[in-house]
Amino acid sequence: MLTSAKNEKVKNWKKLHMRKERINSETFLIEGFHLIEEAIQSKWEIKEIILQEGTILPDWNINCSVTEVTENVFQQISQTKTPQGIAAVVRFRRQQEVTGDYILLLDSIQDPGNLGTIIRTADAAGFDAVILGEGTVDLYNDKVVRATQGSIFHIPVRQENLTNRIQVLKQDGFSIWASALTNSKDYHKLTITSKVALILGNEGAGIQAKFLETADEIVKIPIYGKAESLNVSVAAGILMYHIKG
């Protein structure tokens, strides 16, 4: 039982709140029964489980250390408003190869909730992979992980140079769709080809011009009311389901 927040192990767990420390250790923290169960079922490596005193550990049949801590210590490492009393240290998974015919490319998505929701929606819509370009929020940010609701463990998510990836996709016969309002066509008026890569851009600035120039189609979602634009995660959902439809 760890009772002090000054314990070295507790300090190391708290360091995982920072991106630099996650990268250095190649591990990240997750919280709650659902996320841990999703990670186990998807065969991600659980290095350690942290259990608040009085919390019952499910019979997950995994081979890792379990450390019990006091409520005060757990509050120190928790980043949720209503902690469930269970957390885990998870090892990064080696970046998986991108296969499949439906790929999502994200250019500088900065809001953690948006990124997590987009990954969750890509998983639900049956997209094959998500590629994160430069300027996109860290995949293992706790808010991103929570917003994926476990989809981070289901669908390959890679961090790459988008310019290079777009070139590879074009050579592989993909049609590149970019979401933008100007010089664009309504998405439902376009013919969906057998291989589509969809690019979505930054919440404020949109997709960078260099990526728009490489697109085969610039698509928009018509707005019938007075709103100026759609939230990027909502737009992602509409377009991905249309493409897969």
Side-chain angles (χ1 to χ4, degrees), residues 102-109 118 127 129-134 136 160-167 169-170 174-181 184 187 190 195-203 205-221 232-233 235-237 239-240 243:
Y102 301 96
I103 310 296
L104 184 65
L105 309 175
L106 300 179
D107 175 25
S108 304
I109 300 294
I118 289 168
F127 261 55
V130 180
I131 309 291
L132 310 182
E134 280 185 29
T136 294
E160 284 192 21
N161 179 299
L162 289 190
T163 301
N164 295 342
R165 173 52 68 176
I166 290 167
Q167 288 176 350
L169 290 169
K170 278 179 164 284
F174 276 78
S175 177
I176 310 296
W177 288 25
S179 174
L181 292 175
S184 52
Y187 73 93
L190 296 176
K195 292 183 175 184
V196 179
L198 172 64
I199 312 173
L200 291 158
N202 175 267
E203 291 88 345
I207 297 170
Q208 294 178 63
K210 64 181 179 180
F211 299 136
L212 288 174
E213 289 164 8
T214 65
D216 298 299
E217 301 285 1
I218 299 178
V219 302
K220 67 179 178 183
I221 300 167
V232 66
S233 62
L239 292 172
M240 285 191 287
I243 290 166

Side-chain angles (χ1 to χ4, degrees), residues 82-238:
T82 53
Q84 294 180 11
I86 188 167
V89 179
V90 184
R91 184 173 292 283
F92 287 4
R93 180 174 276 185
R94 286 182 64 180
Q95 293 207 115
Q96 297 163 270
E97 287 304 312
V98 173
T99 58
D101 299 331
Y102 301 96
I103 310 296
L104 184 65
L105 309 175
L106 300 179
D107 175 25
S108 304
I109 300 294
Q110 293 182 331
D111 182 88
N114 281 339
L115 178 59
T117 301
I118 289 168
I119 292 169
R120 180 182 179 184
T121 309
D123 178 21
F127 261 55
D128 297 299
V130 180
I131 309 291
L132 310 182
E134 280 185 29
T136 294
V137 62
D138 178 30
L139 174 63
Y140 299 111
N141 173 296
D142 73 291
K143 291 178 182 176
V144 174
V145 174
R146 286 203 304 274
T148 71
Q149 284 290 300
S151 288
I152 188 174
F153 303 119
H154 305 160
I155 182 172
V157 183
R158 292 176 60 103
Q159 294 178 303
E160 284 192 21
N161 179 299
L162 289 190
T163 301
N164 295 342
R165 173 52 68 176
I166 290 167
Q167 288 176 350
V168 170
L169 290 169
K170 278 179 164 284
Q171 291 166 4
D172 199 25
F174 276 78
S175 177
I176 310 296
W177 288 25
S179 174
L181 292 175
T182 55
N183 301 318
S184 52
K185 303 172 187 173
D186 284 3
Y187 73 93
H188 51 261
K189 294 180 180 177
L190 296 176
T191 301
I192 300 168
T193 58
S194 59
K195 292 183 175 184
V196 179
L198 172 64
I199 312 173
L200 291 158
N202 175 267
E203 291 88 345
I207 297 170
Q208 294 178 63
K210 64 181 179 180
F211 299 136
L212 288 174
E213 289 164 8
T214 65
D216 298 299
E217 301 285 1
I218 299 178
V219 302
K220 67 179 178 183
I221 300 167
I223 292 174
Y224 303 110
K226 294 181 180 178
E228 285 188 3
S229 61
L230 286 169
N231 173 278
V232 66
S233 62
V234 173
I238 292 169

